[in-house]
Amino acid sequence: MKKITAISAVCALAISAYASDLGTIKVESSTIDDKFENKKSEVSSTTTISGERVDKEHVENLQQILQSIPGITTESSTGDTLKIHLRGVENQMYMGEKPGVAVVIDGVPVFERTGKVNIDLDNIESVKVIKGGASYLFGDDALSGAVIITTKRGAKYNHNYGAVEVGSDGYKKAVARTGYANDDLSFHVQASTRSADGYHEDSDYDTKYLNGKLQYYIDDSSDINLGVEYSEREKDSHGTVGGGLEALTNPESIYLGDQQSRDYTRGYDVELLKAFLTYSKDFDHGANLLVNTYIYTDTTEFMSAPQTKDSSGNTDLTLTDDNYVYDNHYEQTQKGVKGEYRDSFNSSAALVGVDLRANEYENKTTFRAAQALVVYGGPMAGVYPDYYQPGDFKSNNKTDENVYAVYGEYKYAFTNSFSATANLRYDKIKLDYTDSEANDLNKDFSVYSYRLGLNYQMSDNSTLFANYSTGFRAPTISQLFAGDVSTWGSTINNPNLKPEESLNYEIGVRALANNIKYEASIFQLDRKDFIMRTSGNYGDTDTTDMWDNVGGARHRGLELSTMGEITDSLSFNMAYTYLRAKYTNYRNFGITLGSDVYFPVFTPAPVMTYDVTGNTIPRTSKHTVNLIMDYKATKELSFMTEVNAKSKYYADDLNQIEIGGHATLNLMATYNSKLGMFDTSFFVRADNVLDKQYYTSARSSSDRNEDGLFNSEDLSITVNPGRVLTAGLSAKF
């Protein structure tokens, strides 16, 4: 049978491709999958979760899987959409900002308009996490690390498979897959659908996926891979309530006649397409060449700005929850080519790579209904009814982003137990913006990123590692030229913005004892030249502000994970995180207290400004624990018990509103059997078994109810749905 190289650009990151001793040493790759799971010479903290485990746990959202990794927090939305954070970086942000983590799917760093990612949970081969600044491999926005998702591929899917699931709040799932493999090729095709009514009002979603992979073996040492995934998603967006009292009395966030409580953006209709083609070649002396080309498109339509006034500017109580001011159309295209060549020798290894990207982002916003123009003060003061008509453009712009990057890694083994690793990457980023207002703006950045690491094998079963790595985030067009591109507000241009930088210091140990694996690391991550508005995160001000490199933060902590078998039938996985995340420079948090006065003379509400340097970053708990116990009662029957716990946190930058911690219990039972030609599996899962009510998220940066006070009644809160039940049946043949 021909040699299957199984080295595919489908895979996002190759981490720890090392033989069992350091006499033969290999390098990391940002594109290809590794043949080894040995981490003995890895210099960074990494974790890998297999696709088999994702399938076995029958989760609705990837958050339920990632919480078993120390240092990860997620901001989940409806369905399988979420924003991922590492080590508390960017936990203070809750709008559509990027997460500070490179999310890589099948070799492509991807992101969507909201900073979140949509992931087909039924098409995961593995999830790999690398912590610390990771721009040395992935470039922009890898401030705190990378989450690398590889989708299903390979000859092991040469069978037929089907599954159905049902659950609380109208949850339904169906999956069908078929595959084939011979000496020359392997392929599979999969279709799936997920939908739910949702616990909260207007939180329903319906997603459909179609994906497939083809791998053709050219000869004994080379192959080509083609992968395609298409998805359609319809989802609404709601779930927040205003203040602690409403969270207690109205956890499902039912409107109750108050249309102003609607989410700012809703009614999403999303089409996603991912496609890649890769060529891989192994050489006789152990080297490898890989070339990967890809395209990723995102077309999103949604409505924004709840309409509360009629076309004359008067409050209209007859408006319904579907009355919004704007229609939005967003198109994103990411395309590129990556090429890597790597070689290894007896005591050293090297990799060189090139990463070329051509990305396009287009935004169009039009009025859904006639609107009045209201002008305060000056000779034009007054109300102009029907000034804006349906279909009128509010904005129409396009940004081209081109990235030209080269990178490399060199690893050297001084002895059989001691090695060093060095990475370096150079990014040239070019931004070009045009819009319907005749703006033509551009900006270039040149950024270096690197990692230096050491690994010492103390014994056959214990390893000490340390590294220093960097990450960066380049300014966006909307930050550089806010005064030109924003249709509202008083934020002015700052074309002198610099990329912000993260500096990560880490030391850790890995060990194996009595079939138990341990990994512990302590880290410090400093953010320099933190890009934020001079009026603060979501702050308000009565003076002109701008985006500037004026912020700073420090994240320190301890991460511990253990896993293994206690007996032949009992195994466990434990993840613990201790985190202290504080602002080191934040002197300008502005908050408006009270409400504006419109007549007879417009008078803005007073603005208070605070220095919150030294405050804890919002939504960062000091302690987080996840414990999973798996018990195999018989050959067919198994049970899973999971406990999640997190300590209290602050919901605001002022650290005035504290949210209590919580703990939840999840249970699952699975029964596998053989029925003729069918391998079947039936499961029942219960999340939050004790039906505890707690806040999934809580945030505040303003006097929401305009009563002149800043307290818990100003929170925007999403309440957990309580106990959730799921059951399903699958068959393979």
Side-chain angles (χ1 to χ4, degrees):
M1 182 175 179
K2 292 186 177 180
K3 176 184 176 183
I4 300 176
T5 60
I7 301 176
S8 167
V10 170
C11 310
L13 180 67
I15 296 177
S16 312
Y18 312 115
S20 58
D21 68 48
L22 298 180
T24 301
I25 192 167
K26 296 185 179 182
V27 293
E28 293 187 21
S29 162
S30 69
T31 305
I32 60 179
D33 191 30
D34 287 306
K35 305 173 185 178
F36 305 99
E37 290 296 327
N38 198 307
K39 297 171 66 174
K40 286 186 176 180
S41 56
E42 172 58 52
V43 299
S44 294
S45 177
T46 66
T47 302
T48 301
I49 295 176
S50 68
E52 288 83 356
R53 178 179 160 191
V54 176
D55 293 339
K56 184 182 72 172
E57 296 201 9
H58 302 285
V59 297
E60 184 180 356
N61 196 299
L62 190 61
Q63 175 187 23
Q64 297 165 273
I65 293 293
L66 294 178
Q67 62 194 6
S68 65
I69 300 177
I72 284 192
T73 57
T74 57
E75 176 188 337
S76 62
S77 183
T78 54
D80 44 15
T81 302
L82 77 166
K83 183 182 288 188
I84 302 170
H85 300 288
L86 279 170
R87 294 179 170 173
V89 171
E90 289 296 89
N91 273 46
Q92 78 280 6
M93 311 305 286
Y94 53 80
M95 300 293 281
E97 300 85 1
K98 293 183 180 181
V101 176
V103 178
V104 183
I105 302 177
D106 287 341
V108 184
V110 301
F111 56 91
E112 298 175 27
R113 186 202 63 83
T114 59
K116 300 180 181 180
V117 290
N118 290 282
I119 298 166
D120 181 2
L121 293 176
D122 299 300
N123 190 31
I124 292 179
E125 182 74 12
S126 66
V127 180
K128 192 172 291 187
V129 177
I130 181 169
K131 302 172 190 174
S135 292
Y136 60 88
L137 280 178
F138 296 110
D140 191 21
D141 205 49
L143 292 170
S144 58
V147 175
I148 306 100
I149 298 169
T150 302
T151 56
K152 285 182 167 66
R153 84 277 188 245
K156 66 181 180 180
Y157 297 105
N158 63 337
H159 56 254
N160 301 306
Y161 174 83
V164 292
E165 295 180 9
V166 295
S168 301
D169 303 312
Y171 173 69
K172 298 175 183 177
K173 185 187 91 167
V175 184
R177 181 176 65 242
T178 187
Y180 174 80
N182 60 26
D183 288 355
D184 297 313
L185 59 84
S186 66
F187 75 86
H188 75 268
V189 178
Q190 176 175 291
S192 62
T193 178
R194 288 175 183 254
S195 64
D197 300 327
Y199 171 77
H200 305 98
E201 185 169 15
D202 288 339
S203 62
D204 54 294
Y205 70 92
D206 187 358
T207 63
K208 297 178 176 64
Y209 302 91
L210 179 63
N211 53 70
K213 300 285 172 57
L214 169 66
Q215 185 174 27
Y216 177 71
Y217 316 119
I218 300 172
D219 53 37
D220 287 347
S221 61
S222 61
D223 66 2
I224 57 173
N225 288 266
L226 172 66
V228 178
E229 178 178 294
Y230 174 77
S231 66
E232 293 182 351
R233 304 165 182 265
E234 296 178 0
K235 63 176 184 177
D236 216 331
S237 178
H238 190 55
T240 58
V241 295
L245 179 60
E246 189 178 1
L248 182 64
T249 60
N250 184 25
E252 297 178 41
S253 63
I254 298 173
Y255 293 130
L256 301 176
D258 178 15
Q259 296 303 323
Q260 297 193 47
S261 66
R262 291 172 289 171
D263 281 22
Y264 186 79
T265 59
R266 281 187 48 224
Y268 287 88
D269 188 352
V270 182
E271 290 188 14
L272 303 175
L273 173 66
K274 293 194 288 283
F276 72 86
L277 180 66
T278 189
Y279 169 77
S280 178
K281 170 70 175 179
D282 282 339
F283 297 96
D284 291 339
H285 59 283
N288 173 265
L289 171 68
L290 182 140
V291 179
N292 175 27
T293 181
Y294 61 86
I295 185 169
Y296 174 71
T297 66
D298 171 2
T299 302
T300 300
E301 295 183 344
F302 61 99
M303 56 188 182
S304 63
Q307 185 177 356
T308 59
K309 300 180 184 297
D310 61 21
S311 60
S312 296
N314 299 313
T315 299
D316 188 348
L317 299 179
T318 67
L319 296 170
T320 68
D321 65 332
D322 289 328
N323 288 116
Y324 273 68
V325 177
Y326 305 117
D327 279 324
N328 303 269
H329 179 85
Y330 174 80
E331 290 188 26
Q332 169 184 299
T333 301
Q334 295 175 247
K335 52 189 176 182
V337 176
K338 295 183 72 174
E340 292 182 348
Y341 179 82
R342 66 176 182 174
D343 204 351
S344 58
F345 313 97
N346 286 335
S347 59
S348 64
L351 174 146
V352 293
V354 60
D355 184 356
L356 306 177
R357 309 178 193 175
N359 303 328
E360 298 176 357
Y361 317 101
E362 187 171 358
N363 290 279
K364 296 179 181 179
T365 302
T366 58
F367 286 87
R368 288 171 61 90
Q371 296 288 304
L373 173 67
V374 182
V375 180
Y376 301 105
M380 295 293 294
V383 178
Y384 299 82
D386 297 307
Y387 187 87
Y388 299 106
Q389 293 298 308
D392 287 352
F393 274 104
K394 176 179 180 284
S395 63
N396 184 4
N397 61 73
K398 179 182 178 182
T399 300
D400 292 324
E401 177 189 48
N402 291 286
V403 178
Y404 311 92
V406 293
Y407 56 95
E409 176 176 313
Y410 182 74
K411 189 181 294 287
Y412 184 78
F414 297 99
T415 68
N416 284 343
S417 59
F418 182 56
S419 65
T421 302
N423 295 79
L424 179 65
R425 177 175 169 126
Y426 169 76
D427 282 88
K428 180 72 172 182
I429 302 173
K430 293 178 173 289
L431 301 175
D432 189 5
Y433 170 92
T434 57
D435 63 23
S436 56
E437 301 298 320
N439 285 307
D440 189 353
L441 310 169
N442 55 77
K443 184 71 175 181
D444 297 353
F445 297 99
S446 296
V447 189
Y448 288 94
S449 309
Y450 54 92
R451 179 183 68 164
L452 301 172
L454 299 172
N455 187 292
Y456 177 64
Q457 190 170 327
M458 298 180 290
S459 68
D460 289 342
N461 295 319
S462 61
T463 303
L464 182 69
F465 64 92
N467 75 85
Y468 171 73
S469 60
T470 68
F472 78 90
R473 170 184 288 168
T476 64
I477 285 290
S478 60
Q479 293 169 337
L480 292 159
F481 304 106
D484 289 331
V485 305
S486 176
T487 55
W488 307 110
S490 57
T491 305
I492 63 174
N493 293 351
N494 183 7
N496 297 318
L497 267 177
K498 301 180 296 183
E500 65 174 275
E501 187 178 19
S502 66
L503 310 174
N504 182 81
Y505 311 82
E506 181 177 24
I507 184 169
V509 62
R510 300 184 184 97
L512 173 65
N514 299 320
N515 292 323
I516 307 297
K517 294 181 180 179
Y518 304 87
E519 180 167 327
S521 61
I522 56 175
F523 66 88
Q524 176 173 303
L525 190 150
D526 293 326
R527 293 182 68 179
K528 295 177 58 179
D529 297 323
F530 198 146
I531 299 174
M532 61 191 308
R533 281 174 55 197
T534 53
S535 61
N537 295 330
Y538 313 120
D540 204 351
T541 179
D542 55 357
T543 59
T544 300
D545 68 349
M546 66 179 181
W547 294 92
D548 205 354
N549 299 104
V550 294
R554 171 166 288 174
H555 304 247
R556 286 176 169 170
L558 164 70
E559 295 167 348
L560 171 65
S561 66
T562 64
M563 67 180 69
E565 294 182 354
I566 301 174
T567 67
D568 290 341
S569 59
L570 183 63
S571 61
F572 78 100
N573 182 95
M574 191 276 288
Y576 169 74
T577 304
Y578 173 80
L579 176 64
R580 294 293 301 271
K582 293 183 176 294
Y583 291 114
T584 56
N585 188 5
Y586 192 173
R587 303 176 182 177
N588 53 346
F589 176 77
I591 182 171
T592 299
L593 298 177
S595 59
D596 297 335
V597 176
Y598 293 92
F599 300 102
V601 178
F602 176 72
T603 305
V607 177
M608 304 297 293
T609 302
Y610 299 89
D611 183 352
V612 297
T613 300
N615 280 14
T616 298
I617 292 174
R619 290 167 294 285
T620 56
S621 295
K622 187 178 293 186
H623 304 281
T624 306
V625 178
N626 174 269
L627 175 63
I628 298 174
M629 302 290 292
D630 288 302
Y631 176 65
K632 195 170 184 64
T634 68
K635 181 180 178 181
E636 297 83 10
L637 181 63
S638 61
F639 298 94
M640 184 274 290
T641 301
E642 180 180 28
V643 176
N644 292 299
K646 63 187 299 184
S647 61
K648 61 187 179 182
Y649 61 90
Y650 291 108
D652 64 303
D653 287 318
L654 292 177
N655 289 180
Q656 289 189 8
I657 307 174
E658 188 174 84
I659 308 300
H662 65 268
T664 58
L665 172 67
N666 306 325
L667 299 174
M668 185 174 69
T670 304
Y671 185 81
N672 300 314
S673 64
K674 181 79 172 179
L675 299 176
M677 62 182 294
F678 296 94
D679 293 322
T680 64
S681 179
F682 173 75
F683 81 93
V684 177
R685 178 178 176 122
D687 290 280
N688 194 0
V689 172
L690 303 180
D691 201 24
K692 288 193 172 183
Q693 187 182 80
Y694 62 92
Y695 299 163
T696 302
S697 68
R699 56 184 185 265
S700 184
S701 57
S702 66
D703 179 13
R704 184 193 61 84
N705 57 9
E706 298 183 344
D707 64 354
L709 302 174
F710 184 64
N711 54 33
S712 62
E713 289 307 304
D714 296 309
L715 287 171
S716 292
I717 299 169
T718 302
V719 181
N720 180 272
R723 185 184 300 113
V724 175
L725 303 177
T726 314
L729 175 67
S730 64
K732 181 173 70 173
F733 59 97

